[in-house]
Every structure is written in structure tokens, then in C-alpha cells.
Amino acid sequence: MPDLGEGLTEAELVSWEVAEGDTVVLNQVIAEVETAKAAVQLPSPYAGVVARLLVEPGTTVPVGSPILAVDTAPAGGGAPVSARAEASPVAVSAAPASPPAAATATAERSPASAHAASSSASAGAPSPVAARTSVLVGYGPAVGTTDRPRRRPRPSRPGPSGPPTGRGPADPPPTAPSPTDHARPSGQAAPPAGGTVTERPRTHPPVRKLAHELGVDLTSVAGTGPDGVITRDDVLARAHRDPGAVSTGSPTDGRRPPDAPVGSPREDRTPVTGVRRRTAAAMVASAFTAPQATVFLTVDVTPTLELLDDLRRDRALAGRRLTLLTVVAKAVTIAVARTPEVNARWDEAAGEIVQPHYVNLGIAAATPRGLLVPNVKDADRLHLGALADALTDLTEHARAGTTPPGALVGGTITITNVGVFGIDAGTPILNPGESAILAVGAVRRRPWEHRDAIALRSVVTLAVTFDHRVVDGEQAARFVSDVGAVLANPGSALAMV
């Protein structure tokens, strides 16, 4: 797993784009991973044949751990591959398949001496592959060894088989190593006593997971895929053809509750990883660290909506997505200039309040992977059209999962638009490291006082949550009032700049 930058120490493998036996070319996408901040596609730093997939989807992998083995000189001929990564930890099978006898004997003594022997053996022979420029941040020297324990063959036991329980045959109990075990090659297990040896059902990790969820015994499924590989359709067909092979009840009794649909679990469990885990930790730290308070203001935004209608007809702004959020963002940068305390942060370690002279405006975005808060750098220096472009680009990347890590750090104040979900108001939690967040509610048509009469107007509720260590109530009230004044009378912005 390469270093994806921004101090991230791990990433979750979401899916493989290749399978064992596939031929890959340099820079071909091999997998999609998800960090605590964004989804990233990993390119292959080697060209060759995929020898092994070392990690199953859904696994969180530390940076530097091997995830894939690529045979850069596959059997069957062909010139050596001429391009590879600088000993990247992603692809880790560039060494010959059969190590020298001396290296094998050394490996049996200790992993450290094996690594040293392997390095010295390769130092004396010219490498058939040439170095190339790294293609992803963090590629560097290979970390650790590429070997992992091989799967232990499973014995087929004689006798009648009981009803399937959703689990494969049990592994033989561990036994003490015999003196002859040290003479076997590394990773090779001794044949089990009694019974013949059968291979593990051939399938892919997502299909194996589906079989586990449905309680289907893969040893009883005939594969229809290439070379007898068990496919998803094979598992589903088995589940529907023989309901007795499906267990949705207790894994120990093989029964399912009455009236439960065949193959449907009674509950789902989702591991807390990636963006969701990072968001949860950040919200807990924010809620129980900073004393937070919220003030509300309901504003008549009819003049702003009328202004937006006029601007959309302006040829100079054609093609730009001008929305109420765009004007709110501009209003925030104007209000910050009058009340800079809402743009400051509390530095607990230094015992200081840090006051930036710029506005990195965060926008809370709901994505399929969870809540992200990317920010527009130096938003206070952008005019309305440029700010609209920046917000459009930011939200599109967030929803596509392609937000660069740099856009997710360094925010100074945040806007969350709960109005898009039909919510009138709320009390948002501060984004960690910031002292204010503005929630914008839904626009509602309501009877409202206008020019000494009651009229039907478009109104919206603003809510500002602030860190009471940095911002006083008076400052928070002035800030939200200034934002409301811009929305109620956009022309007033000229007097506030």
C-alpha cells in the first residue's frame, strides 16, 4: 500500500480491478482504495501477470504492506519487462519464482537473515528490469517481505455429510511440528493424516462473502466460470434451488426463523472504516472538546433570489451555476471581514488563539462514502462568478470521490446547506479546528412583513454554531446578522466591503 500523502497511515481496499492470472500493463488501474479522506485508484507500477491478490476487499491495510504480487517474467517466454517502479511496495514479485538453495536455507533460519541473503544475492547479478519514474506519491523502497502463509489444504473426510451450515470443512487441529517439517520448502504444509486432500473451492472474494452471507457451502457448488471458478450466479442458483443449504438462523443449528425470506439476513453489520470512521472520531472530538452554542436568524431572501434570476440572464455569467449557496458563501466572506473572530481557531497545545488573514471556506458535502468537508482556498479573494465555479468543482469532486487530500485540510470556517434536504434549521457541530459553522435552511414561501404590509415572501433560517472559547455571543450575533443583511439586501454588500 503506497503512501497516499497528508499523513495517512492506512487505507481500505474497496475493490480489485484485476484478478489472479490477468496480464497488466504499466500504470493500469489495479484497485480502488479509500482513505479517511477520499477514494483513490491505484495504478500498477509493474507490467506482467498478476500472481497473487494478497488482500481481500474490505480490509484496512497499513501503508507499506504488500497487497499484490506481479510476476514480471512469467513462464512461457517473452522478453523481460523494461519498466517497473522503484521497488514499489504495491507490486512485490519481481524476484525469480525459485530462489537459490542458499537463500532458501537462510530463510528457514530467520526472516532477517533471509532478507539479507536475498539482497546480497540480487546485488551480484544484473537486474533485467530498469528503473522508472514513480507514478504515485509515496512510492519508495519495498517494505518487508512479500511472502505470506499459503492456504492449508483441507482434508475430505469420509462418512455421510450433515446438513450444510454455511461454513466450509473444518481445518485439521494444529499439531506440533515434526522434525521433517523443517526440511520442507517455506509455506508448504504437511499432508493431513487420513483422507485425501481437496482444494479450496475456486472463487473470488466478493462471491465468497456472498456465500457466507447466504449460508451456502461452497464445497457443494459446481462452478460454471472459466476453469471451474464459482460465480455469483452459481451461489444464487444454489441458494434458490436448495433452501436447505441456506442458513439465516443461528450458525450452529442451521435453522432459519419462520416466514423469513430465503437468503435474507436478519440484520446487517457494516465495518466502520474510511470516511465514516474518520468523521465519527472528528465529531466526538469536536462535541466534547469545544463548548458550542448556536444562534438563529430568519431572513427574507426574496431580493437575493430576484438578483440571481437577473444574473443568470447576464451573458457574462453564462454557463456558471449561480445558486443561493453561492451568494451565502460570498456573504460569509464579507461578514468575516467585519468579525474575524469567527474565522479564528483555538490552539490548545500552544495556549493561543490563531487568527488567519485568509478564508478557506469549507462546504459540507454528503457523499455515498459519508460526510466530506472540502474547502475553497482563499475564498475571500474570489468574485461571485469565480466563487460559483469553485463551489461547483468542489461538490462534483466530492460526490465522485475524487477530492484531492489537500482540499480536505486547512479550512477556517464552514457552511452546511441542510436546506437541500428540506430541513428548516438545525444545530450543526463544528468542524474540528474551526470556530464557526453556518447552517442554511430550506427556502420557504411564508407570510412576512414587507413595507408595512403582510406579503408572501421567500424566507430562510440561518443557524451559526460557534466555539465559545474563541467567539463571544455578541460576535456570533453580529456575524449572522451581517450574513442575513447581505441576503436580505444584496446591495448592502457594497457598503460592507
Side-chain angles (χ1 to χ4, degrees):
M1 180 65 64
D3 178 2
L4 300 173
E6 294 298 324
L8 300 174
T9 59
E10 63 184 17
E12 178 187 350
L13 180 68
V14 176
S15 63
W16 284 111
E17 302 297 329
V18 296
E20 294 183 359
D22 286 358
T23 300
V24 294
V25 297
L26 193 64
N27 294 339
Q28 175 181 337
V29 174
I30 56 174
E32 181 181 7
V33 301
E34 183 180 65
T35 69
K37 298 181 178 180
V40 179
Q41 291 182 327
L42 293 185
S44 173
Y46 288 94
V49 175
V50 177
R52 286 181 295 169
L53 302 180
L54 305 180
V55 176
E56 294 191 1
T59 303
T60 299
V61 185
V63 169
S65 298
I67 62 174
L68 175 77
V70 176
D71 188 355
T72 58
V81 180
S82 59
R84 55 159 286 187
E86 300 171 356
S88 164
V90 177
V92 292
S93 185
S98 300
T104 303
T106 306
E108 293 169 357
R109 289 193 296 268
S110 71
S113 59
H115 180 73
S118 176
S119 301
S120 60
S122 60
S127 174
V129 290
R132 67 164 178 84
T133 304
S134 299
V135 295
L136 191 65
V137 175
Y139 277 148
V143 179
T145 177
T146 66
D147 292 334
R148 65 169 182 170
R150 299 181 181 177
R151 295 190 180 112
R152 177 181 299 170
R154 301 189 177 191
S156 60
R157 299 179 179 178
S161 58
T165 61
R167 294 175 292 179
D171 287 339
T175 57
S178 66
T180 58
D181 286 342
H182 297 284
R184 287 192 197 95
S186 175
Q188 180 175 340
T196 59
V197 176
T198 58
E199 294 183 357
R200 184 179 184 181
R202 301 185 61 188
T203 185
H204 297 295
V207 178
R208 192 176 300 118
K209 180 180 179 182
L210 175 65
H212 176 73
E213 293 173 348
L214 297 181
V216 173
D217 184 1
L218 287 175
T219 60
S220 64
V221 179
T224 61
D227 299 326
V229 172
I230 299 174
T231 66
R232 178 184 180 87
D233 292 338
D234 295 334
V235 173
L236 294 175
R238 174 64 174 172
H240 290 293
R241 182 175 67 251
D242 185 6
V246 180
S247 172
T248 56
S250 169
T252 59
D253 57 17
R255 295 175 296 175
R256 61 185 179 90
D259 302 326
V262 173
S264 62
R266 292 174 61 82
E267 63 182 18
D268 293 329
R269 289 179 175 266
T270 303
V272 181
T273 59
V275 174
R276 177 61 60 189
R277 182 175 63 180
R278 185 64 172 265
T279 300
M283 292 299 98
V284 170
S286 174
F288 293 98
T289 300
Q292 303 183 28
T294 306
V295 293
F296 299 85
L297 177 67
T298 302
V299 183
D300 178 6
V301 295
T302 305
T304 293
L305 298 182
E306 293 172 348
L307 173 64
L308 288 172
D309 289 338
D310 293 337
L311 292 177
R312 293 185 186 110
R313 291 190 290 268
D314 190 335
R315 293 181 180 178
L317 296 173
R320 281 175 164 155
R321 187 181 179 186
L322 296 171
T323 65
L324 178 63
L325 181 62
T326 310
V327 182
V328 171
K330 188 62 181 176
V332 166
T333 62
I334 294 173
V336 163
R338 293 193 61 191
T339 312
E341 291 84 1
V342 297
N343 196 51
R345 69 178 184 272
W346 181 275
D347 189 338
E348 181 69 30
E352 300 173 340
I353 294 176
V354 181
Q355 181 66 70
H357 299 294
Y358 54 86
V359 178
N360 288 348
L361 184 61
I363 303 295
T367 73
R369 293 179 173 85
L371 179 67
L372 294 179
V373 190
N375 60 81
V376 179
K377 306 298 184 186
D378 297 316
D380 53 320
R381 299 183 181 181
L382 302 178
H383 58 76
L384 192 64
L387 189 55
D389 293 342
L391 292 177
T392 299
D393 182 70
L394 180 146
T395 54
E396 287 178 352
H397 279 291
R399 290 167 183 161
T402 57
T403 302
L408 295 166
V409 296
T412 59
I413 189 170
T414 294
I415 298 175
T416 176
N417 186 11
V418 297
V420 297
F421 306 110
I423 303 301
D424 294 329
T427 54
I429 296 178
L430 291 172
N431 198 31
E434 300 176 12
S435 295
I437 179 172
L438 172 68
V440 183
V443 178
R444 303 293 188 190
R445 295 285 287 173
R446 294 178 181 173
W448 199 259
E449 188 276 330
H450 177 64
R451 295 178 181 176
D452 297 329
I454 300 298
L456 194 61
R457 306 287 287 178
S458 297
V459 300
V460 67
T461 299
L462 307 175
V464 175
T465 295
F466 57 97
D467 184 344
H468 226 318
R469 299 174 300 178
V470 182
V471 182
D472 296 333
E474 180 269 336
Q475 296 165 334
R478 183 172 66 238
F479 168 74
V480 71
S481 296
D482 288 343
V483 173
V486 174
L487 299 179
N489 182 14
S492 66
L494 296 176
M496 300 176 69
V497 176

